[in-house]
């Protein structure tokens, strides 16, 4: 095959160089030459897996994995593009496969071996010269796609969805912008909100344990008593476990890990202690040990809490595909608020936007009083460009606990990024200011919502109110660069460019990488005749934008995107 390929390439070069000679040599010479080329093409195509119509420069590479996430050698991988013949290859000794020379378009991949198949994995190649990573997981028919564990006693009946989200995560690929909608500004806002959604997670609490005071006199007293117990009996299991658990709840992970490890050495059969030790190892970065402890516990106790913890560890180990299956299994075994939230957050983080919406919506049905579930749903809806729906959900979240700043922060950010004013947002942000008048963000977001609602061209009284809130924001928080920027814009709109330059400069002093402040300062300098200063600011703006774009691209490449296996008749909204 290699010789035929070389011959084919050589024939292309020779025949193209002699095309003019063929034209002069008459019809007979042309026919002979074309027959020769046709022979080589036919011989070459017979040796290459059929990929008619799939000619391009993109490559898809990945692994075939079994239900336990282990590589599978010798599995057949099929690739199909609509309107073309099927191509196939065989996984090598490492369980890896590759398809090269793919053009842009939509493909479906499936792996099979010994009668066991993976889910169909839909992949969209959006540009040439791209590398796509897509792992295919074989599904044990007896588990209907659920990941099974050694020693598992869980039944699918342990979890019944009233409206089961109808999708399956089949693999991962590089970032393609699929699953995100709207302008790049909206997309960046969505990505920022996704990261903030992850921080809404509460601290993990192990089964059978209770929270210990985090600070204050009570905490100091508790720590003293617990430390004394360890000092008096350094090889006492209970003393080491209780102090280790105390440090774990306070986030003092290295101290916790040391004590919990000692307790584990004394009594390796205690479930609660090993669970706590796995959490401590995870948080100090000893992920291999953390996973080993979780796997040991799962071999004896197939519990939802363990699957959730396993998902967290797998994500940190760079295996999001296994992680999302663990989170899903946790929900099936225990449809708790925390498990729904973890599963939905994992989907949203890896840009499975519609699927995250489906999970969060199901979570809201089960836990309608969960403000963080509603907030997360708002972030997922915004990621899908459903701006008004996102705003409504965030407003509902703010009503559940009006003192919680998180829903207001989310709605303030989507109000700024959305193309039009959003229903209910201004009213809720006004309440935010009323409840927390000394909160810089409350003043800033409400000022921006009021300004946007009035089209940035409004009566002097409203403008004074906006200016007063922005001024309050910077007085409360002198590092609120965005408020300085908007105050500068206010002065610029009144053609008071000298004052504007001072405010733009203050914004840059507080946040040197705020590119818009550099641009606006350049415009203000132009208006007052400072051409050289203006040129310098425009250059800084361009440099920062270039650096920011590169960093955003790097971050996007670092986060693998889930590939979703579609059901035979997918329901609306469409899955990516």
């Amino acid at each position: 095959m290699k010789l035929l390929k070389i011959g084919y390439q050589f024939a292309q070069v020779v025949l193209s160089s002699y095309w003019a000679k063929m034209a002069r040599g008459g019809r007979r010479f042309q026919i002979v030459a074309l027959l020769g080329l046709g022979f080589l093409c036919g011989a070459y195509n017979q040796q290459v897996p059929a990929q008619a119509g799939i000619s391009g420069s993109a490559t898809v590479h990945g692994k075939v994995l079994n239900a336990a996430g282990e590589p599978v050698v010798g599995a057949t991988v099929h690739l199909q593009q609509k309107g073309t013949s099927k191509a196939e290859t065989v996984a090598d000794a490492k369980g890896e496969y590759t398809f090269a020379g793919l053009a842009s378009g939509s493909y479906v991949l499936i792996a099979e071996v010994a009668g066991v198949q993976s889910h169909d994995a839909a992949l969209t190649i959006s540009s040439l010269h791209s590398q796509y990573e897509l792992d295919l997981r074989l599904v044990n028919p007896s588990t209907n796609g659920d990941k099974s564990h050694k020693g598992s006693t869980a039944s699918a009946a342990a979890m019944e969805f009233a409206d089961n989200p109808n999708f399956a995560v089949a693999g991962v690929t590089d970032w393609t912008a699929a699953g995100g909608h709207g302008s790049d500004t909206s997309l960046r806002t969505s990505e920022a909100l996704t990261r903030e959604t992850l921080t809404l997670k509460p601290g993990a609490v192990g089964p059978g344990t209770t929270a210990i005071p985090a600070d204050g006199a009570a905490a100091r007293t508790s720590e003293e008593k617990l430390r004394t117990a360890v000092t008096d009996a350094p090889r006492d299991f209970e003393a080491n476990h209780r102090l280790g658990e105390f440090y774990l709840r306070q986030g003092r992970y290295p101290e916790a890990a040391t004590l919990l490890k000692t307790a584990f050495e004394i009594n390796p059969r205690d479930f609660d202690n090993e669970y706590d030790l796995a959490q401590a190892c995870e948080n100090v970065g000893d992920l291999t040990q953390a996973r080993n402890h979780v796997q040991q516990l799962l071999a004896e106790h197939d519990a939802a809490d363990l699957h959730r913890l396993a998902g967290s560890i797998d994500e940190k180990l760079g295996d999001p595909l296994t992680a999302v299956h663990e989170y899903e299994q946790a929900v099936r075994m225990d449809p708790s608020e925390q498990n729904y939230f973890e599963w939905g957050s994992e989907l949203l983080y890896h840009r499975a936007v519609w699927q995250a919406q489906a999970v969060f919506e199901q979570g809201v049905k089960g836990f309608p009083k969960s403000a963080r579930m509603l907030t997360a749903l708002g972030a997922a809806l915004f990621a899908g460009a459903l701006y008004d729906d996102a705003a409504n959900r965030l407003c509902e979240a703010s009503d559940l606990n009006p003192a919680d700043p998180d829903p207001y922060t989310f709605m303030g950010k989507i109000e700024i990024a959305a193309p039009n004013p959003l229903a209910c947002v201004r009213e809720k942000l006004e309440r935010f200011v009323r409840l927390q008048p000394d909160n810089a963000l409350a003043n800033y977001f409400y000022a921006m919502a009021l300004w946007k609602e009035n089209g940035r061209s409004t009566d002097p009284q409203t403008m004074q109110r906006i200016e007063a809130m922005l001024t309050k924001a910077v007085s409360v928080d002198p590092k609120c660069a965005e408020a300085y920027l908007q105050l500068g814009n206010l002065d610029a709109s009144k053609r008071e460019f000298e004052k504007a330059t001072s405010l733009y400069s203050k914004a840059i002093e507080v946040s040197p990488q705020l590119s818009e402040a550099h641009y606006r300062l350049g415009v203000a300098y132009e208006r007052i005749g400072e051409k050289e200063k203006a040129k310098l600011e425009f250059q800084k703006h361009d440099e920062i934008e270039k650096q920011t774009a590169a960093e955003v691209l790097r971050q996007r490449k670092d986060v693998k995107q889930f590939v979703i296996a579609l059901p035979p008749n997918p329901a609306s909204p469409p899955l990516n």
Side-chain angles (χ1 to χ4, degrees):
M1 183 177 118
K2 184 175 181 181
L3 288 174
L4 283 168
K5 183 175 180 181
I6 294 171
Y8 171 72
Q9 293 171 338
F10 176 76
Q12 284 184 305
V13 174
V14 171
L15 291 176
S16 62
S17 65
Y18 282 95
W19 182 256
K21 184 181 290 187
M22 287 193 294
R24 294 193 298 271
R27 182 176 180 82
R28 182 179 178 183
F29 186 70
Q30 292 177 18
I31 291 172
V32 172
L34 290 173
L35 284 173
L37 179 59
F39 172 79
L40 284 170
C41 288
Y44 175 63
N45 286 336
Q46 288 177 2
Q47 300 298 319
V48 179
Q51 295 190 39
I54 315 181
S55 177
S57 303
T59 299
V60 177
H61 174 80
K63 292 182 179 179
V64 179
L65 307 172
N66 62 19
E70 301 163 336
V72 177
V73 178
T76 300
V77 182
H78 303 279
L79 178 143
Q80 175 77 56
Q81 184 182 25
K82 186 176 181 181
T84 72
S85 58
K86 182 184 291 184
E88 64 180 45
T89 188
V90 176
D92 63 18
K94 295 182 180 179
E96 298 179 351
Y97 73 92
T98 300
F99 288 102
L102 304 181
S104 59
S106 297
Y107 296 83
V108 174
L109 294 93
I110 187 169
E112 62 177 348
V113 64
V116 181
Q117 293 186 332
S118 69
H119 288 293
D120 290 358
L123 173 66
T124 298
I125 295 178
S126 58
S127 61
L128 300 181
H129 306 289
S130 298
Q131 299 290 325
Y132 294 83
E133 293 290 332
L134 174 58
D135 292 340
L136 302 171
R137 184 180 294 270
L138 300 173
V139 179
N140 187 337
S142 66
T143 63
N144 294 320
D146 291 338
K147 181 177 178 183
S148 60
H149 291 269
K150 181 180 177 181
S152 171
T153 59
S155 167
M159 168 56 201
E160 295 184 4
F161 285 117
D163 300 301
N164 190 359
N166 196 14
F167 65 87
V169 179
V172 294
T173 186
D174 290 334
W175 186 88
T176 64
H181 303 272
S183 67
D184 189 58
T185 298
S186 295
L187 182 56
R188 291 188 188 188
T189 300
S190 171
E191 291 166 340
L193 291 180
T194 294
R195 290 189 291 269
E196 292 181 31
T197 297
L198 302 181
T199 68
L200 298 174
K201 294 180 181 179
V205 176
T209 62
T210 56
I212 298 175
D215 51 25
R220 288 192 295 273
T221 301
S222 297
E223 181 179 1
E224 290 173 3
K225 290 180 179 179
L226 293 171
R227 286 179 64 85
T228 299
V230 172
T231 301
D232 292 344
R235 297 299 296 174
D236 180 76
F237 167 81
E238 190 66 25
N240 281 277
H241 169 69
R242 291 186 63 195
L243 182 55
E245 184 182 63
F246 175 88
Y247 286 143
L248 180 68
R249 302 298 167 257
Q250 286 201 326
R252 295 163 63 175
Y253 301 118
E255 295 165 284
T258 299
L259 289 156
L260 294 169
K261 183 179 180 181
T262 299
F264 176 74
E265 291 169 353
I266 298 169
N267 181 8
R269 304 295 300 171
D270 188 89
F271 176 82
D272 287 349
N273 184 77
E274 189 169 10
Y275 183 92
D276 287 342
L277 177 57
Q279 291 184 83
C281 288
E282 177 195 8
N283 283 286
V284 297
D286 191 352
L287 299 176
T288 300
Q289 281 298 317
R291 183 171 59 180
N292 289 343
H293 285 298
V294 171
Q295 289 177 341
Q296 178 63 34
L297 289 170
L298 276 169
E300 301 177 8
H301 311 275
D302 194 26
D305 287 330
L306 290 172
H307 285 286
R308 185 180 65 247
L309 180 56
S312 177
I313 295 168
D314 287 332
E315 171 62 34
K316 292 179 179 178
L317 282 167
D319 187 3
L321 185 58
T322 300
V324 76
H325 288 225
E326 293 285 8
Y327 286 131
E328 180 179 1
Q329 181 67 8
V331 171
R332 292 188 181 281
M333 296 179 69
D334 176 17
S336 67
E337 190 267 357
Q338 184 175 356
N339 288 338
Y340 266 121
F341 186 82
E342 300 283 1
W343 184 21
S345 297
E346 181 74 2
L347 290 164
L348 183 60
Y349 181 62
H350 291 282
R351 303 304 298 169
V353 171
W354 300 112
Q355 294 71 35
Q357 288 178 23
V359 169
F360 286 134
E361 284 172 352
Q362 192 69 20
V364 167
K365 288 180 182 179
F367 303 92
K369 300 299 183 182
S370 172
R372 72 166 180 163
M373 193 76 74
L374 281 164
T375 301
L377 177 55
L381 290 165
F382 180 80
L386 300 174
Y387 302 132
D388 289 321
D389 291 340
N392 288 332
R393 290 303 199 175
L394 291 170
C395 289
E396 290 177 33
S398 72
D399 289 340
L400 289 174
N401 182 9
D404 181 5
D406 287 331
Y408 299 112
T409 300
F410 277 55
M411 73 175 72
K413 291 181 178 180
I414 72 169
E415 172 72 8
I416 292 172
N420 299 304
L422 300 172
C424 81
V425 168
R426 186 194 62 78
E427 171 192 346
K428 303 304 181 184
L429 290 175
E430 183 178 20
R431 179 179 66 191
F432 189 24
V433 172
R434 188 169 63 252
L435 293 175
Q436 301 184 35
D438 292 327
N439 186 312
L441 286 178
N443 285 275
Y444 170 71
F445 285 134
Y446 181 48
M448 295 302 293
L450 191 60
W451 200 354
K452 185 173 186 176
E453 186 178 76
N454 288 275
R456 294 198 172 226
S457 177
T458 187
D459 63 275
Q461 185 176 358
T462 302
M463 295 300 289
Q464 288 175 5
R465 188 180 181 191
I466 293 169
E467 185 173 7
M469 285 186 292
L470 291 173
T471 302
K472 180 68 175 291
V474 297
S475 66
V476 172
D477 180 8
K479 294 187 180 298
C480 189
E482 291 285 352
Y484 285 118
L485 172 63
Q486 298 304 329
L487 283 168
N489 289 342
L490 273 174
D491 285 335
S493 69
K494 295 182 288 187
R495 307 191 66 80
E496 297 177 2
F497 296 111
E498 289 281 1
K499 289 178 62 179
T501 59
S502 176
L503 289 162
Y504 292 141
S505 296
K506 185 64 177 177
I508 292 169
E509 178 187 333
V510 171
S511 180
Q513 295 301 110
L514 187 58
S515 63
E516 186 182 350
H518 287 283
Y519 179 80
R520 297 282 187 173
L521 180 56
V523 172
Y525 276 142
E526 276 194 335
R527 295 294 189 272
I528 61 176
E530 298 278 1
K531 301 296 184 182
E532 288 302 317
K533 288 184 178 181
K535 182 179 179 180
L536 181 60
E537 293 303 325
F538 290 142
Q539 289 175 346
K540 289 180 180 178
H541 166 269
D542 293 345
E543 290 171 3
I544 293 170
E545 283 294 297
K546 185 177 180 179
Q547 293 168 1
T548 301
E551 177 61 18
V552 168
L553 183 60
R554 185 195 65 76
Q555 291 175 353
R556 288 171 178 171
K557 287 183 176 180
D558 284 347
V559 179
K560 294 294 184 180
Q561 184 169 304
F562 284 144
V563 177
I564 303 301
L566 305 180
N569 295 300
S572 296
L575 305 175
N576 66 338

